[in-house]
Amino acid sequence: MHAELDTGQYPTGSQVSDDEIAALPITRHRFHGDRNYTLHPQHPMDAMAVKSTSGQAPANKPHRLTRHWLQDPELTGMTRQQLSGLIDALTPALEVQREQVLRTRRGHERLAAPGAGAKAKLTTADRILVTVLHLRKLAKMDLLGQLFGVTAPTISRAKQEVGPLLEAHGHHITAFTARFRTPSDVATFLASKPT
């Protein structure tokens, strides 16, 4: 290893926006990806585009992360079976809780059959999943909103509903060591997992 003193003059107080950071060709590492990362000469997705054949989908299209991808054990900190069991355990309580909130909002009992009216922006399973991912501290609410196709306040409401139920059922969610800033960070992380 070689190091030498850089005697150049540089302006102080320069700030880099989150959008500028997100545009950098960075692959975040599994352990503390907020501090440990590789900076590439070009974005890994662009490099894949050069290697892709004409029969493959264009690499410049953003990765579509399905719920299956977002339920990955490395992201959730539990096996898919454990996550499914958690969803099964919390769903009845969440449905009762939601009905109570709606009754309070209406000021009276339901007049229409269950399922009528406006649909929830997130399914019960998604509300549980997004809360687990947020408690794992792997992404801010804005990014989780992008991944689930909703706004950050919707993610916040889901966490407020599900968080106390997790505690009441004795489920402790441990923080993850990687941090993601963009959907492509998550996609690159999952794509780099050993098979």
Side-chain angles (χ1 to χ4, degrees):
M1 181 173 170
H2 171 77
E4 66 183 63
L5 177 64
D6 181 353
T7 58
Q9 298 284 323
Y10 301 98
T12 59
S14 298
Q15 294 187 1
V16 181
S17 72
D18 286 344
D19 290 339
E20 290 172 309
I21 293 290
L24 291 173
I26 290 176
T27 299
R28 298 188 184 282
H29 298 184
R30 280 180 168 63
F31 183 74
H32 285 290
D34 53 337
R35 294 178 295 199
N36 301 312
Y37 51 83
T38 301
L39 183 61
H40 303 277
Q42 64 180 1
H43 199 283
M45 296 301 157
D46 296 336
M48 285 171 56
V50 172
K51 294 178 185 176
S52 69
T53 63
S54 59
Q56 293 177 330
N60 60 355
K61 285 191 176 178
H63 275 289
R64 174 152 160 61
L65 292 169
T66 64
R67 296 302 185 265
H68 180 77
W69 280 80
L70 295 173
Q71 293 170 353
D72 186 279
E74 203 157 353
L75 296 182
T76 63
M78 60 186 88
T79 67
R80 291 181 191 277
Q81 292 80 13
Q82 289 171 326
L83 179 62
S84 180
L86 179 63
I87 290 169
D88 290 344
L90 297 184
T91 294
L94 272 172
E95 288 174 355
V96 167
Q97 185 181 58
R98 179 172 168 75
E99 193 57 40
Q100 289 172 341
V101 168
L102 292 174
R103 185 182 314 117
T104 302
R105 212 178 283 163
R106 285 189 304 262
H108 56 77
E109 290 298 322
R110 173 185 288 283
L111 299 176
K119 301 292 181 213
K121 293 179 181 173
L122 291 172
T123 66
T124 302
D126 283 348
R127 292 194 335 241
I128 295 167
L129 174 59
V130 80
T131 300
V132 168
L133 296 178
H134 187 263
L135 292 173
R136 293 271 288 158
K137 300 184 186 299
L138 55 80
K140 292 185 177 179
M141 288 187 187
D142 287 337
L143 174 55
L144 290 172
Q146 290 176 48
L147 294 173
F148 284 80
V150 296
T151 62
T154 301
I155 302 295
S156 179
R157 279 191 300 276
K159 184 187 169 209
Q160 290 170 357
E161 294 169 359
V162 177
L165 289 176
L166 283 169
E167 287 181 24
H169 282 77
H171 291 284
H172 177 70
I173 307 297
T174 57
F176 194 38
T177 57
R179 300 290 181 270
F180 304 112
R181 291 177 179 264
T182 66
S184 63
D185 280 351
V186 182
T188 302
F189 175 82
L190 291 172
S192 69
K193 282 183 58 175
T195 55

